[in-house]
Amino acid sequence: INQHINHIWRRPIYRAYRPQPTMAQKEVELLDKVLLRLALTGNDKMPSATDTYLMPVLSKLLSPHEATRIKAVEVLQHMMERIRPLREVRLPLGALLDQYASSDATEQLRTFVLDLIEIGAARISPAVRVDARTASMITFKSDLEAWL
């Protein structure tokens, strides 16, 4: 009996109630970690960081949670400030065009994608630029036809 009583006394009487974080809180925490990693990334590592984080952060602009979208805008603004002067950072123009042409793209997402396409297009060779312009003209034409 003494063993049983000692065992009961060692247990905590209650456990502190900690509510589970919501999906929005988890997404914001994840974006905070991305922002911290980007802030700590040197200019020499920025091309690989951009490859890793750009498209996933852009996809967070489609989140149903406003807090997530606000944090994603903050991360994207930081990324754009960092990559604008770094000519060696190449942006994935094909993926950006696909994101723009996506049927679930919002105006906010399209605005960021167009800004990124503008930054990325200035950094590619003329031959690749012609291919990108052709693809973007097809995308914009189909978008315009759908709008009309």
Side-chain angles (χ1 to χ4, degrees), residues 31-86:
L31 288 168
D32 274 333
K33 289 178 185 177
V34 169
L35 185 59
L36 179 63
R37 285 190 179 159
L38 289 170
L40 296 175
T41 300
N43 288 345
D44 58 329
K45 302 283 186 184
M46 200 60 192
S48 65
T50 302
D51 289 343
T52 303
Y53 298 120
L54 179 63
M55 297 311 290
V57 172
L58 274 173
S59 69
K60 293 295 182 187
L61 288 176
L62 299 174
S63 172
H65 310 290
E66 184 177 0
T68 301
R69 292 191 305 268
I70 290 170
K71 184 54 83 170
V73 166
E74 183 182 344
V75 174
L76 287 167
Q77 287 173 338
H78 176 81
M79 286 182 83
M80 290 173 69
E81 286 175 15
R82 294 281 309 275
I83 64 175
R84 215 176 280 277
L86 299 175

Side-chain angles (χ1 to χ4, degrees), residues 85-141:
L86 299 175
R87 303 285 301 169
E88 64 273 4
V89 176
R90 302 284 181 237
L91 299 176
L93 291 179
L96 290 170
L97 286 170
D98 291 343
Q99 189 79 284
Y100 181 87
S102 173
S103 61
D104 58 346
T106 62
E107 289 301 316
Q108 187 178 40
L109 175 68
R110 286 186 174 161
T111 301
F112 273 103
V113 167
L114 286 175
D115 287 344
L116 289 164
I117 288 172
E118 181 182 329
I119 292 169
R123 299 173 182 196
I124 58 176
S125 68
V128 175
R129 192 174 298 151
V130 170
D131 291 340
R133 282 190 182 149
T134 304
S136 64
M137 286 174 28
I138 292 169
T139 301
F140 294 135
K141 181 181 175 202

